[in-house]
Amino acid sequence: MLNGAPYIILVNPQLAENVGMTARAMMNCGLYNLRLVNPRENHLCDKAISASSNASSILENAQVFSSLKEAVADLHHIFATTARRREMIKPIYLPETAMKEISQNIENARYGVIFGAERTGLENDDVAICDGIIEIPLNPEHTSLNLSQAVLLIGYEWQKLKNTRDGKILITNKTEISTKEEVLTFLDFVENELDKVGKFDNDEKRPRMVRNLQNMFVRADITQQEIKTLYGVIKFLTNKKEAE
Amino acid sequence: MLNGAPYIILVNPQLAENVGMTARAMMNCGLYNLRLVNPRENHLCDKAISASSNASSILENAQVFSSLKEAVADLHHIFATTARRREMIKPIYLPETAMKEISQNIENARYGVIFGAERTGLENDDVAICDGIIEIPLNPEHTSLNLSQAVLLIGYEWQKLKNTRDGKILITNKTEISTKEEVLTFLDFVENELDKVGKFDNDEKRPRMVRNLQNMFVRADITQQEIKTLYGVIKFLTNKKEAE
């Protein structure tokens, strides 16, 4: 678990709704500290609160400043987010690299990530005072993002650092994956039932069919509960056969 | 460059605006194939087109179906996106893992990623026919995302696979990082100028000050252009001194 988190700083946001949606995106990503530089609309108006969904607390705690310099005065490192390359000598980060750098130092330093106004983005003067630029890797022909979506993608990379889940897990709830013995015993049962029905035991296609069944059931990561369901299906089918 | 891309499938989307914003998010992420199952509003209405920003082509090419089964009939693998754990035995993926799996097989199979309606999400019956579940790792206390934002995060992980940029690069534009000789020659020049001004050459603090300057300038990854600026500043300062 990370202690602390970067400040999210919106410069000249135009629409209260976007500020509200930004708060919601921040809440989704475990970011709670919002700073606003000269917002055009009141960030506590109904539109903003409504757009924030359940994140109005972030709006209520937001700090408002009249210049970017004031908004970053007490911070140690600040990143500008921009899709436009500038004629500036500045390190350009992928979002995940910037978030990793922040997380490694967040206990000893205060960080901010700065977002420009809708449409116009950040001014060169704003970018110049930043330690680095975060460039979100998007379709190069369509990089224009809604303000809250830019915040969401940066926040997502922040929240991802806290994830401890594996990339792919099988949720089995109250049951477990069958052991090889359980799967193979079931397949023996199927073979037996097939043999009972007819000439399958003498068929030259038999070995291939058995291998096909093995391949399929092994691949399916079948659970104990599912094996029970399958026994039920086969028994139901064969009882029906016998009853015919 | 990846050939092909997964289909994005929205089940019962309620608001045309969200469908439009989804198209925009898809365009940001190099996803072009949209399928809609029983959209409540016309996906080509003004609200949708306007919300799509420059992605109306995706709306115009979207296919509409009357059931999820029809919408996925020609696909080989489908993923459900949901934040709610179900009583189902199903592999659960992180977005990046699912996108990697898709990208590794996209040339031989058609994939779909399925998103439920605003508020209600996907029904259990929808999830049951999916090969796997994608669970976006968010703040566990606030996982509720706007529909287009869920599509954006999945699309972002797709688009990230195409990124070849390093995590941190220094953009120097027309100049280059200075060599060690260039930096040290400049620092010698500074020392010299300081010595000219006064007693700095006899000061016992001299070695420490020189090391401080070295540390600072080495750390800054200073470019040739910036060294020129610094020479200019020092020369300007010393000329002024002489003129006094």
Side-chain angles (χ1 to χ4, degrees), chain A residues 155-186:
Chain A
Y156 170 68
E157 291 287 7
W158 175 256
Q159 179 67 25
K160 262 181 87 173
L161 296 175
K162 302 184 196 168
N163 175 59
T164 53
R165 188 152 53 86
D166 284 338
K168 181 180 177 183
I169 47 173
L170 187 69
I171 296 290
T172 57
N173 298 311
K174 285 161 207 138
T175 182
E176 278 175 36
I177 297 283
S178 306
T179 62
K180 291 301 168 212
E181 187 184 22
E182 287 163 337
V183 177
L184 296 175
T185 303
F186 166 70

Side-chain angles (χ1 to χ4, degrees), chain A residues 50-176:
Chain A
S50 157
S52 77
S53 201
N54 289 313
S56 56
S57 61
I58 290 177
L59 294 176
E60 284 151 19
N61 294 324
Q63 299 167 280
V64 179
F65 298 86
S66 58
S67 72
L68 178 60
K69 280 185 186 164
E70 289 171 71
V72 302
D74 62 337
L75 306 184
H76 300 95
H77 297 287
I78 51 179
F79 290 94
T81 54
T82 169
R84 215 158 13 100
R85 287 277 165 104
R86 322 272 176 145
E87 289 287 311
M88 277 191 226
I89 297 159
K90 193 80 83 182
I92 298 191
Y93 289 76
L94 289 174
E96 63 181 298
T97 312
M99 293 306 113
K100 261 182 217 155
E101 193 168 303
I102 294 177
S103 75
Q104 283 158 4
N105 299 292
I106 193 80
E107 289 184 28
N108 304 312
R110 284 185 293 279
Y111 281 83
V113 185
I114 299 166
F115 299 80
E118 300 94 330
R119 299 187 188 279
T120 53
L122 288 171
E123 307 278 341
N124 283 341
D125 284 348
D126 300 332
V127 176
I129 65 166
C130 291
D131 299 83
I133 290 172
I134 301 176
E135 210 179 79
I136 302 174
L138 294 172
N139 179 356
E141 284 157 38
H142 291 270
T143 55
S144 148
L145 279 176
N146 167 280
L147 176 56
S148 70
Q149 290 187 318
V151 174
L152 177 70
L153 290 178
I154 299 299
Y156 170 68
E157 291 287 7
W158 175 256
Q159 179 67 25
K160 262 181 87 173
L161 296 175
K162 302 184 196 168
N163 175 59
T164 53
R165 188 152 53 86
D166 284 338
K168 181 180 177 183
I169 47 173
L170 187 69
I171 296 290
T172 57
N173 298 311
K174 285 161 207 138
T175 182
E176 278 175 36

